[in-house]
Amino acid sequence: MCEKKLKISVFGAGHLGRIHIRLILELSDLYELIGFYDPSDESAEKTTSEYPVKRWDDMQALIDASDCVDVVAPTLHHYDIAYKALRSSKNVFIEKPLAETTEQAKILLDLSREAGVIVQVGHVERFNPAFQAAEALIVKPMFFEIHRLAQYNPRGTDVSVILDLMIHDLDIVLSCVNSSIRRISASGVSVVSKTPDITSVRIEFDNGCVANLTASRMSLNNMRKTRIFQKTGYLVIDFLNQSVDQIMITPKDQEAPGFFSFELNDDVNFSALKPEIKKTNAIQEELRSFYNSIVHNQPVVVSIDDAYRALDVAYQIIDKLKSAHLSVFDNN
């Protein structure tokens, strides 16, 4: 039985947009890529020279011709494109962050409910093979220690490091912790841009869970690593190298699983396991998931509600930084 193909269009043909175009073309059994929109002639010419895809000059006409739209434009254009698509009752995939402001995000959230369409947001780390292997092992987490460090890249400096990098980890933490936030503490500095480039954040939840997050786009080496501590032991999720280490605490009278174990005290042992990682392309998997939500009514993995909450927490952090040290945002 042949799958129903969805007519999809891509808005934004920059670096990430061209990746989306390539991956959608590879998903030719699911999607028919009818075209892309990008006001930049340079980006458009590069795209049409690399891929057999048509450039459209009329944004609304392209939306009208589509079953769903893929918004991969810079963040400042997310709201305008998504608003037009939702007003036209189109299903929308939109890259993170959802919008420039929480006010814009709330309008899109309300509009998506009125339209009754599927909206998925590109918090791609939810589809990272390492996180997907670890997700079922996360049970009532008590403490997160997170480092997301990146080499400097001017492509992301139109927004603060919180919206550029840390928002990935905010989404991961919020998806794992079933509790309201009690307190947020934050500090950060601007080094080369007008907004924070290095930020350290502590989030305390009502259930006692604590998350410490560090994000930097001024590092010599890249790192995307999360440590999660819980009663049964702890997990080390390496998002960059796509690996997971599971350290389990087992009673002394129970056989310790794993490739090695050692005695922690008279009552318990530590044992280490490496869950199997199924290698996939995370962006392609989120596009496949988007299709399955539309055609097969499968749950949306990263919903617009999830993205709104992550954005709201990100702006709470930004507000903390502004009140603590306004010059962090005013550096010229």
Side-chain angles (χ1 to χ4, degrees):
M1 178 179 172
C2 293
E3 293 271 27
K4 172 189 175 183
K5 282 193 179 186
L6 294 176
K7 293 181 179 179
I8 191 169
S9 52
V10 174
F11 288 80
H15 173 74
L16 185 56
R18 288 194 296 275
I19 291 174
H20 276 238
I21 286 170
R22 173 175 61 81
L23 295 174
I24 288 170
L25 288 171
E26 290 177 9
L27 292 172
S28 59
D29 56 329
L30 307 181
Y31 292 110
E32 177 189 349
L33 179 55
I34 62 170
F36 74 94
Y37 175 88
D38 195 305
S40 167
D41 289 337
E42 182 181 351
S43 294
E45 288 169 10
K46 189 169 184 178
T47 302
T48 53
S49 68
E50 291 179 9
Y51 304 107
V53 58
K54 176 185 174 183
R55 180 190 187 185
W56 290 55
D57 294 322
D58 187 325
M59 179 188 296
Q60 189 59 55
L62 181 55
I63 290 171
D64 292 340
S66 308
D67 297 316
C68 51
V69 303
D70 182 9
V71 182
V72 207
T75 303
L76 66 99
H77 299 301
H78 283 191
Y79 174 76
D80 184 47
I81 300 168
Y83 184 86
K84 286 181 170 63
L86 292 172
R87 285 295 300 267
S88 302
S89 298
K90 303 298 180 178
N91 302 292
V92 178
F93 181 98
I94 183 166
E95 264 302 334
K96 66 83 193 167
L98 173 59
E100 266 199 294
T101 67
T102 52
E103 292 77 16
Q104 290 178 346
K106 184 62 166 62
I107 292 171
L108 295 180
L109 175 62
D110 292 341
L111 193 55
S112 70
R113 288 173 177 166
E114 291 173 17
V117 295
I118 296 296
V119 179
Q120 183 175 320
V121 182
H123 285 283
V124 70
E125 294 289 38
R126 295 267 208 111
F127 291 86
N128 188 300
F131 179 71
Q132 294 204 319
E135 191 171 13
L137 306 173
I138 302 170
V139 182
K140 296 182 180 178
M142 302 163 59
F143 194 91
F144 290 79
E145 189 69 41
I146 300 173
H147 290 86
R148 185 172 291 264
L149 314 178
Q151 295 173 325
Y152 179 72
N153 184 342
R155 190 161 47 84
T157 54
D158 58 322
V159 294
S160 77
V161 73
I162 298 130
L163 295 177
D164 181 27
L165 299 180
M166 185 177 284
I167 197 164
H168 284 294
D169 300 306
L170 294 174
D171 173 67
I172 291 291
V173 169
L174 294 172
S175 75
C176 295
V177 181
N178 185 23
S179 179
S180 300
I181 292 174
R182 179 160 55 92
R183 183 183 296 116
I184 296 174
S185 308
S187 59
V189 295
S190 171
V191 180
V192 295
S193 69
K194 295 181 180 180
T195 59
D197 297 305
I198 305 170
T199 305
S200 178
V201 173
R202 179 181 175 90
I203 302 175
E204 301 173 41
F205 292 87
D206 285 336
N207 68 354
C209 181
V210 173
N212 286 336
L213 304 94
T214 299
S216 169
R217 54 188 176 200
M218 296 301 300
S219 178
L220 288 177
N221 299 300
N222 294 327
M223 176 188 289
R224 288 153 46 195
K225 190 170 286 189
T226 294
R227 295 172 177 85
I228 304 174
F229 298 83
Q230 49 198 27
K231 286 286 188 183
T232 55
Y234 71 94
L235 296 162
V236 182
I237 307 173
D238 189 331
F239 289 89
L240 182 62
N241 297 307
Q242 297 187 352
S243 67
V244 178
D245 291 304
Q246 181 185 15
I247 311 301
M248 294 183 64
I249 300 173
T250 55
K252 193 70 174 294
D253 58 357
Q254 206 175 73
E255 184 177 352
F259 58 86
F260 82 85
S261 63
F262 61 90
E263 184 178 306
L264 182 63
N265 57 37
D266 291 339
D267 299 318
V268 297
N269 291 326
F270 258 164
S271 58
L273 300 88
K274 270 200 170 295
E276 183 180 352
I277 308 294
K278 182 183 178 183
K279 298 292 185 179
T280 56
N281 183 299
I283 296 176
Q284 193 165 67
E285 289 307 307
E286 62 182 354
L287 290 167
R288 190 188 303 276
S289 176
F290 180 50
Y291 174 92
N292 286 331
S293 294
I294 297 169
V295 175
H296 300 302
N297 201 31
Q298 291 185 6
V300 179
V301 176
V302 186
S303 69
I304 191 170
D305 299 81
D306 295 336
Y308 175 80
R309 189 181 180 203
L311 188 66
D312 181 58
V313 173
Y315 270 103
Q316 289 182 53
I317 293 167
I318 290 170
D319 288 343
K320 292 281 184 182
L321 290 170
K322 283 183 176 179
S323 61
H325 193 180
L326 189 60
S327 64
V328 164
F329 283 81
D330 293 339
N331 180 21
N332 293 311

